[in-house]
Amino acid sequence: DVKVTQSSRYLVKRTGEKVFLECVQDMDHENMFWYRQDPGLGLRLIYFSYDVKMKEKGDIPEGYSVSREKKERFSLILESASTNQTSMYLCASTGQGPYNEQFFGPGTRLTVL
Amino acid sequence: AQTVTQSQPEMSVQEAETVTLSCTYDTSESDYYLFWYKQPPSRQMILVIRQEAYKQQNATENRFSVNFQKAAKSFSLKISDSQLGDAAMYFCAYRGNTGNQFYFGTGTSLTVIP
């Protein structure tokens, strides 16, 4: 059974803290994605990675960075968390080729106080 | 960038009835892929159905089918014989034939009334 896992389902942090969200996939997928999901706004792409150590900015990269040191792991970093980063964060992965669907993790609901 | 529009933020359907969720998209590409995803409350997002743009035949998966109108850039999802387990947020998504990015609509929240 294919899987994308995320390190936490719920996370509460304080303003200014450095936050790490981790995502692991076991499907040997080349492509991995971080989205932010907010009511009425759908899924907005923060960053994606198409290979180890490769990354590309999505639509809303400001305030975020990412790391992909190993193929199966893609981390999202909030350098200095702010209250407007309170959201649901979804990780996804997909294989090469446009036919392939994205597989999603369960999400991390982050609250920044 | 491509845009995907879901104009129905919320929909409801009686159990056992049929409901259609709308999706339109904007693209200049001729070859691409379209997807419908389902996100049940507090559960993982999963694929419902996909459609290749070069295929004229509409995709079907059991009670789920699509009405793909390429010229109109429309991709609606029909759910037949609705069940309580169909209650979820549904997202329409687009992926071009080149590149790795997916583009999602804002979602439609479906309520199934017993």
Side-chain angles (χ1 to χ4, degrees), chain B residues 37-46 85-91:
Chain B
Y37 284 89
K38 171 185 178 182
Q39 186 182 39
S42 301
R43 292 181 61 188
Q44 217 142 329
M45 184 111 67
I46 57 172
D86 295 333
M89 182 73 81
Y90 287 83
F91 291 95

Side-chain angles (χ1 to χ4, degrees), chain A residues 37 97 99 101-102 104, chain B residues 37 39 44 50 95 97 100:
Chain A
Q37 182 179 7
Y99 180 81
E101 72 201 77
Q102 284 193 325
F104 284 86
Chain B
Y37 284 89
Q39 186 182 39
Q44 217 142 329
R50 86 185 89 200
R95 185 180 189 181
N97 199 38
N100 296 307

Side-chain angles (χ1 to χ4, degrees), chain B residues 62-75:
Chain B
N62 300 314
R63 297 182 295 107
F64 298 87
S65 62
V66 300
N67 183 5
F68 173 50
Q69 302 287 327
K70 191 173 184 179
K73 297 179 182 175
S74 170
F75 180 60

Side-chain angles (χ1 to χ4, degrees), chain A residues 3-8 20-27 31-34 67-68 70-76 89-93 103-108:
Chain A
K3 262 193 186 161
V4 179
T5 56
Q6 295 182 228
S7 49
S8 306
F20 293 87
L21 303 182
E22 302 225 313
C23 175
V24 178
Q25 51 96 2
D26 66 358
M27 295 164 281
N31 304 303
M32 296 187 74
F33 305 78
W34 275 107
S67 172
R68 192 163 180 206
K70 293 185 177 182
K71 190 175 185 181
E72 68 271 17
R73 189 181 298 270
F74 191 36
S75 301
L76 179 69
Y89 291 87
L90 297 178
C91 175
S93 73
F103 290 88
F104 284 86
T108 295

Side-chain angles (χ1 to χ4, degrees), chain A residues 1-2 9-10 19 30 32 35 47 55 58 65 78 85 91 105 107 112:
Chain A
D1 200 18
V2 296
R9 287 302 303 270
Y10 300 94
V19 182
E30 291 80 5
M32 296 187 74
Y35 293 95
Y47 270 97
K55 61 185 179 185
S65 62
L78 287 65
Q85 292 179 309
C91 175
V112 183

Side-chain angles (χ1 to χ4, degrees), chain B residues 50-82:
Chain B
R50 86 185 89 200
Q51 174 79 42
E52 297 104 89
Y54 64 86
K55 285 189 177 179
Q56 291 188 334
Q57 187 173 7
N58 289 325
T60 61
E61 289 284 346
N62 300 314
R63 297 182 295 107
F64 298 87
S65 62
V66 300
N67 183 5
F68 173 50
Q69 302 287 327
K70 191 173 184 179
K73 297 179 182 175
S74 170
F75 180 60
S76 60
L77 174 70
K78 186 171 85 170
I79 306 173
S80 303
D81 185 26
S82 297

